Amino acid sequence: MDATTKPLRIPPEMSVYAEENKVFDILQKMVGNLLVDRPEDPIQYLIDHLRNDNDEIPRIFLLGPPASGKHTMMWTLLLLAPQAKLVCKHLNATHLTPEDLLSNDGPLLAKEALSYRDKGQEIPNGLWAKLIQERLLKVDCKKRGWVLEGFPQTREQALMLQMTGTAPDHVVVLDAPDTVLIERNMGKRMDCSTGEVYHTTFDWPDDPEVQINLVEPEGISEEETGQRLLEYHRNIPGILRTFTKICKKINADQPCMDVFSQVLTFVLSRARTVAPHTPRVLLYGPPGCGRSLQAALLAQKYDIVNVCCGQVLKEAVADQTKLGALMKPYIESELQVPDNLVLKILARHLSRLDCATYGWVLHGFPRDTDQAGALNYAGFHPNRVFFLDIPDDAAMERVSLCVTDPVSGERYHSIYKPAPRIEVHDRLQQNPKDCEQKVQERLDIYHANAEELEEFYQDVIHVNADQDPYTVFEFIESCIVKPIPKRAPEKPMSP
């Protein structure tokens, strides 16, 4: 940073590093935890926080009425989806329930809580909060994250958890009509010898010996289920008010894998960060996909710099710069400009104050992984990469039927924007680059490099560009203003 010139210019590398490593979010999380925990040695606390490296682990509350599918083991069935176990397996998180916390071999707090239950008394909310806090401090929860199922059950419990510093990142509420829930619950049967749960309608065992051992669990009658549902409906509005910004209701009255997919999509989403964000957008696609139009729309709405590689090169030649003079023979001969010259021109352009301050949308470069690697090596890392996808026949139709009026410079299309008058139509000319043969060559180059470029940029966002341009723009815009979802681990670690 040069402190002798005004305005102060922060090198682009600093903002790229801060954004890629989430420096702002790390500091925000550390300060928040510091204020909640208030340790005696703040410096050592912050050092330990950084060593734990657990800011990205899942912290989830999974709530819902009885028989909504939170815990049922028969996960392959339509109405009995064990969302908690599926989510935990996919995220490699620790699955917790109030029953697990009250196990007989648990800590002293668990035994104290059991003493209340043995006397027929309600376990105090403060004791529940301490019990949960103590469990979440265990190594498995701190390293792998956790999904707490069926708790809190009241607003008071939710507030008590917040007061002790137990705060989830996502709250999932499974919901279904009461008639469906009562039917699910009343059909449950349990094998006393194994503890397996079956259902009279959806999962009746074939083995006659197993059928003989099945009994009706306690508390599943219509009256008892209705009473539990009534209590749930009385408490859930207060719980939802406690977690307004991180809560999502999901309809559990649908196939289990559909429910699971929606739950997983939500828990992998990131909360919108307040960190400074400089858009660095890369648009890539075949000829005719609409990159120039989308870049212009983004630049117009968000006041970022529209960087068209071809236009930047032409401007350098027109300005008669040294690099422009070196490129002029290539451009006049319609030959490809060497990558090192293109990169030097682009680097100067992207390093300008307006690009570093407001951000940029780049299109026309890179075209292959060598160019992409050179761009990254120069310090210009896009934080959003969009592939605008259209079929080859649509690309051919869009480009090969384009013509230009040499008098007015207006561009027309034989199908979508025909010439308004016959005299205009008679003088229209086609750019030699837009003939079918040239377009097919450009398509072949695109297909030869698209797969490798997608591997190079790991977080590529595919866009269906074969639709209305403003519909395409709305999708691109939504992906720019929202954080990129977290990646789930490919292979869950063994507990």
Side-chain angles (χ1 to χ4, degrees):
M1 185 185 300
D2 185 1
T4 63
T5 59
K6 301 290 184 177
L8 298 179
R9 290 196 58 184
I10 300 176
E13 294 82 2
M14 292 180 62
S15 61
V16 171
Y17 177 85
E19 183 175 323
E20 288 183 347
N21 293 277
K22 300 180 178 61
V23 173
F24 186 95
D25 296 322
I26 291 174
L27 292 175
Q28 185 182 40
K29 189 75 174 180
M30 290 170 62
V31 172
N33 290 345
L34 192 66
L35 294 175
V36 170
D37 296 340
R38 290 174 288 182
E40 294 182 1
D41 187 351
I43 301 301
Q44 186 60 45
Y45 176 87
L46 296 177
I47 294 174
D48 293 339
H49 179 91
L50 291 174
R51 285 175 176 169
N52 289 333
D53 189 25
N54 60 354
D55 286 340
E56 294 294 325
I57 62 173
R59 302 176 180 88
I60 304 166
F61 285 171
L62 184 58
L63 309 176
S68 60
K70 301 186 300 299
H71 186 67
T72 307
M73 292 296 294
M74 309 310 296
W75 66 273
T76 57
L77 298 179
L78 174 66
L79 297 177
L80 301 175
Q83 304 306 327
K85 290 187 177 293
L86 282 173
V87 171
C88 288
K89 181 179 179 181
H90 199 87
L91 297 179
N92 191 33
T94 301
H95 179 209
L96 304 174
T97 66
E99 291 76 15
D100 297 335
L101 297 172
L102 296 177
S103 60
N104 290 323
D105 57 346
L108 293 177
L109 287 175
K111 295 178 180 179
E112 182 182 350
L114 284 172
S115 66
Y116 281 95
R117 176 171 289 186
D118 294 339
K119 297 175 184 178
Q121 301 175 357
E122 289 287 337
I123 300 175
N125 294 331
L127 183 56
W128 270 121
K130 292 179 181 179
L131 188 62
I132 292 173
Q133 184 185 34
E134 183 180 60
R135 179 63 181 88
L136 298 184
L137 290 176
K138 296 289 183 64
V139 175
D140 57 343
C141 291
K142 294 186 70 173
K143 290 294 184 182
R144 298 192 285 119
W146 45 267
V147 178
L148 179 58
E149 174 200 330
F151 199 90
Q153 299 173 351
T154 64
R155 176 173 170 81
E156 290 72 20
Q157 292 176 347
L159 294 174
M160 187 62 67
L161 289 176
Q162 288 184 342
M163 291 174 63
T164 57
T166 302
D169 295 323
H170 300 86
V171 177
V172 179
V173 180
L174 302 181
D175 196 23
D178 286 355
T179 53
V180 173
L181 298 173
I182 292 174
E183 179 188 3
R184 291 185 188 181
N185 215 34
M186 292 179 62
K188 288 182 180 180
R189 297 295 183 269
M190 186 175 65
D191 187 342
C192 296
S193 59
T194 64
E196 291 286 337
V197 179
Y198 297 89
H199 196 278
T200 56
T201 303
F202 309 115
D203 182 39
W204 190 248
D206 297 328
D207 190 345
E209 295 184 1
V210 175
Q211 295 178 9
I212 295 174
N213 293 330
L214 294 183
V215 297
E216 184 176 301
E218 296 181 359
I220 67 168
S221 67
E222 184 173 359
E223 182 180 354
E224 290 172 308
T225 304
Q227 185 64 33
R228 291 169 61 193
L229 287 172
L230 183 63
E231 184 178 355
Y232 170 81
H233 291 308
R234 184 168 58 247
N235 289 312
I236 193 62
I239 297 175
L240 296 180
R241 290 197 302 272
T242 309
F243 304 108
T244 305
K245 295 183 179 180
I246 57 173
C247 182
K248 183 178 180 63
K249 269 190 175 184
I250 295 177
N251 178 22
D253 187 20
Q254 54 182 324
C256 65
M257 294 312 297
D258 291 346
V259 180
F260 168 67
S261 176
Q262 294 177 45
V263 171
L264 187 63
T265 299
F266 173 62
V267 300
L268 289 180
S269 65
R270 298 174 183 266
R272 183 166 296 182
T273 176
V274 295
H277 176 68
T278 302
R280 300 186 301 276
V281 183
L282 174 61
L283 301 180
Y284 180 76
C289 66
R291 291 170 301 177
S292 299
L293 175 59
Q294 298 303 325
L297 293 173
L298 287 172
Q300 180 182 15
K301 182 166 184 177
Y302 292 100
D303 199 26
I304 60 179
V305 182
N306 184 357
V307 183
C308 173
C309 180
Q311 187 65 31
V312 170
L313 299 184
K314 292 177 182 178
E315 290 176 358
V317 173
D319 293 341
Q320 298 181 353
T321 62
K322 292 182 179 180
L323 289 175
L326 294 175
M327 289 189 299
K328 186 174 182 181
Y330 294 96
I331 295 179
E332 290 179 346
S333 303
E334 297 184 356
L335 298 174
Q336 184 173 345
V337 181
D339 291 349
N340 60 334
L341 294 179
V342 176
L343 192 61
K344 288 181 180 180
I345 292 292
L346 279 179
R348 288 187 179 181
H349 199 87
L350 295 175
S351 298
R352 294 187 331 194
L353 183 60
D354 55 350
C355 288
T357 304
Y358 303 110
W360 43 263
V361 51
L362 172 64
H363 53 107
F365 190 94
R367 297 181 179 178
D368 54 43
T369 52
D370 291 338
Q371 294 179 348
L375 187 66
N376 272 14
Y377 184 76
F380 302 101
H381 305 266
N383 47 28
R384 294 293 188 278
V385 179
F386 295 96
F387 276 35
L388 307 184
D389 302 327
I390 58 172
D392 285 1
D393 55 350
M396 185 68 70
E397 179 185 273
R398 288 187 181 187
V399 179
S400 64
L401 298 181
C402 280
V403 286
T404 306
D405 181 0
V407 175
S408 63
E410 185 74 19
R411 290 175 62 85
Y412 296 96
H413 193 276
S414 301
I415 297 178
Y416 305 116
K417 187 183 177 183
R421 298 186 303 277
I422 187 64
E423 59 269 21
V424 176
H425 179 273
D426 292 340
R427 65 175 184 250
L428 295 179
Q429 297 179 4
Q430 184 186 52
N431 190 321
K433 294 182 180 179
D434 295 340
C435 68
E436 292 190 7
Q437 180 181 356
K438 295 291 186 181
V439 174
Q440 187 59 53
E441 291 177 359
R442 290 155 62 191
L443 283 171
D444 293 340
I445 294 174
Y446 163 77
H447 289 301
N449 295 302
E451 186 174 349
E452 292 183 352
L453 269 176
E454 184 173 0
E455 293 180 0
F456 183 87
Y457 293 112
Q458 296 182 355
D459 293 318
V460 166
I461 302 172
H462 285 272
V463 185
N464 176 19
D466 191 19
Q467 53 184 331
D468 179 76
Y470 292 96
T471 302
V472 177
F473 173 71
E474 288 177 0
F475 179 80
I476 293 176
E477 181 183 25
S478 69
C479 295
I480 291 177
V481 298
K482 294 179 181 178
I484 296 177
K486 293 181 286 188
R487 289 174 173 266
E490 295 181 0
K491 295 183 179 180
M493 298 171 57
S494 58

